[in-house]
Amino acid sequence: MKIVNKLCQIFSIVFSLAALVLFFTPFVSFNTGDGAVSAVGAQLAFGSSVKVAGEAVGIAHSVKLLFCFWVTVIGVLLSVFSFKSKKVRYAAPVFGLIAGIFMLVVALSSPYKFVDFRPFTATGAEYSIFVLLTAIALLAFAVVAIAYLLVDDYLEVLASKGAKKTILKRVVLFFRDYKSEVKKIVWPGIKDVLKNTGIVLIMCLLFGIFVWLLDFGLGKLLEVILGI
């Protein structure tokens, strides 16, 4: 079990690093009035210059891809630091899942929704296979990171000899307690709801009138002082 735990930890780093490396591969190709252009993921995220008809032309950066890039970077750092501190093992799969789902949406959508082609008028834009591979790598990272979290938690429970409960058992107990507490709630009748709603509306109206009168009076006082 310890070997499985280490393998999950190592593979989480491998998949997260693979996703980060894929950002430096060609993500999209499109046509301009001066010819075909190809841009890598990092160029699209940060904005950079691309070669068009032998000249370097700057392109705008995509905020959405920039967000995905930095979430991926954070996921890589968390997966690496999990060797030093087990506290970050909870955060790593979260960032991996966020980046993976977001990148999958990007891969399955039109390039015009997530890529800023300015200053070009892009035609015939299409993603490369690397966009989908990035999403797959991120989702694989999230799955392996979750597996590492569950296996590591199970090993801690075994080491405690039953003093601790696994994450899954704690979640089940939480919902059981939540269900029992919900049953204790006494819901008000329709008459009480209407009565309380009326009281709230009346108080809001009275408070609004008070604020309006106060504002009106202070405004008139200011006009007198300033001689307006």
Side-chain angles (χ1 to χ4, degrees):
M1 206 66 176
K2 290 182 179 179
I3 295 175
V4 174
N5 186 42
K6 280 299 178 184
L7 286 175
C8 289
Q9 196 174 16
I10 292 169
F11 276 111
S12 69
I13 297 175
V14 171
F15 283 123
S16 61
L17 281 173
L20 187 60
V21 170
L22 284 168
F23 267 95
F24 296 90
T25 57
F27 261 32
V28 68
S29 59
F30 56 95
N31 294 317
T32 68
D34 298 316
V37 177
S38 178
V40 303
Q43 285 178 313
L44 299 174
F46 290 93
S48 182
S49 59
V50 294
K51 289 281 186 176
V52 181
E55 295 184 2
V57 180
I59 58 174
H61 73 90
S62 170
V63 175
K64 296 168 184 175
L65 288 176
L66 182 63
F67 164 78
C68 195
F69 177 85
W70 283 118
V71 173
T72 303
V73 171
I74 294 172
V76 172
L77 294 175
L78 290 173
S79 60
V80 171
F81 287 141
S82 66
F83 277 95
K84 290 290 184 181
S85 174
K86 290 187 176 182
K87 293 180 180 179
V88 300
R89 64 183 180 174
Y90 294 96
V94 173
F95 279 87
L97 198 59
I98 292 172
I101 293 174
F102 192 92
M103 205 65 201
L104 186 61
V105 172
V106 172
L108 299 177
S109 303
S110 169
Y112 296 101
K113 291 184 178 181
F114 292 95
V115 178
D116 192 342
F117 292 104
R118 291 177 298 173
F120 302 109
T121 302
T123 58
E126 60 180 15
Y127 286 128
S128 71
I129 189 64
F130 294 112
V131 179
L132 183 58
L133 289 177
T134 304
I136 293 172
L138 286 167
L139 291 174
F141 158 55
V143 170
V144 176
I146 292 171
Y148 162 65
L149 172 64
L150 295 176
V151 172
D152 196 56
D153 181 69
Y154 177 73
L155 290 174
E156 286 186 356
V157 172
L158 287 180
S160 68
K161 296 181 180 179
K164 295 176 65 177
K165 291 182 175 62
T166 61
I167 294 175
L168 294 177
K169 286 186 178 180
R170 293 201 297 270
V171 170
V172 171
L173 287 174
F174 169 79
F175 281 106
R176 282 181 181 174
D177 293 339
Y178 179 79
K179 184 179 179 181
S180 63
E181 290 298 323
V182 168
K183 289 181 179 179
K184 297 177 183 178
I185 297 175
V186 179
W187 299 100
I190 186 66
K191 290 184 178 179
D192 292 331
V193 171
L194 293 175
K195 178 183 176 182
N196 294 333
T197 302
I199 293 172
V200 170
L201 292 175
I202 291 171
M203 292 303 298
C204 289
L205 179 63
L206 292 175
F207 186 75
I209 293 172
F210 170 75
V211 172
W212 178 79
L213 290 173
L214 183 63
D215 179 69
F216 180 79
L218 291 175
K220 290 297 182 182
L221 179 62
L222 187 63
E223 290 178 4
V224 172
I225 295 173
L226 299 178
I228 300 175

